[in-house]
């Protein structure tokens, strides 16, 4: 069953469903995430074996995806998805699904990577921070 887009992201994060995890092979800096990973969920955790934090890939619409590095901009703690976006359990900062700070103490927005849409996959370029 395909999920609705837009507000469907928040609806999905509010549910107790575990987020799908995609583990790309190899050490490439350009990741190719199959679009089929988004058939059941508008968010996918991309776990790259050489990166210390995961990347949350968010389907905002059919033509817009966001790749958010799940490292808190306050003191580098791991972020967890919450019903409103991303949450830091260390000191309580929150971020929306565009990577913007929505609650301090973090002051800087999150790192976003360039995303390009291809026919059957989404390309995330880990060398291009936007
Ligand atoms: S490390 Fe995330 S709020 Fe402090």
């Amino acid at each position: 069953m395909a999920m609705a887009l837009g507000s469907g992201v928040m609806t999905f994060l509010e549910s107790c469903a575990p987020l799908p995890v995609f583990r790309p092979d190899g050490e490439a800096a350009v990741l190719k995430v199959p679009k089929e990973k988004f058939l059941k969920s508008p968010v996918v955790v991309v776990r790259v074996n050489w990166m210390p934090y995961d990347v949350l890939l968010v389907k905002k619409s059919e033509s817009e995806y966001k790749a958010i590095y799940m490292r808190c901009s306050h003191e580098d703690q791991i972020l967890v998805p919450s019903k409103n976006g991303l949450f830091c359990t260390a000191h309580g900062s929150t971020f929306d699904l565009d990577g913007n700070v929505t609650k301090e103490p973090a002051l800087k927005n999150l790192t976003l990577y360039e995303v390009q849409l291809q026919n059957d996959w989404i390309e995330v370029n880990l060398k291009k921070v936007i």
Side-chain angles (χ1 to χ4, degrees), residues 71-79 87-95 103-106:
R71 178 186 66 195
C72 184
S73 60
H74 180 233
E75 290 183 358
D76 298 338
Q77 297 299 305
I78 294 172
L79 296 172
F87 174 70
C88 182
T89 58
H91 310 111
S93 287
T94 60
F95 304 86
K103 183 177 169 212
E104 295 182 8

Side-chain angles (χ1 to χ4, degrees), residues 21-78:
V21 176
F22 176 70
R23 293 178 172 85
D25 291 332
E27 312 238 330
V30 179
L31 310 175
K32 291 184 174 184
V33 182
K35 283 185 179 171
E36 67 187 30
K37 294 291 177 190
F38 291 87
L39 290 177
K40 293 183 179 173
S41 166
V43 285
V44 172
V45 174
V46 181
R47 189 153 293 155
V48 182
N49 60 12
W50 54 268
M51 293 179 75
Y53 302 86
D54 292 335
V55 174
L56 188 68
L57 192 52
V58 181
K59 183 178 185 178
K60 307 277 288 191
S61 72
E62 288 294 339
S63 59
E64 183 186 13
Y65 289 75
K66 297 279 183 177
I68 305 170
Y69 197 38
M70 295 175 72
R71 178 186 66 195
C72 184
S73 60
H74 180 233
E75 290 183 358
D76 298 338
Q77 297 299 305
I78 294 172

Side-chain angles (χ1 to χ4, degrees), residues 3-14 42 59-61 83 97:
M3 294 289 298
L5 302 178
S7 63
V9 176
M10 292 303 185
T11 303
F12 188 85
L13 290 175
E14 286 175 23
K59 183 178 185 178
K60 307 277 288 191
S61 72
K83 65 179 181 178
L97 291 175

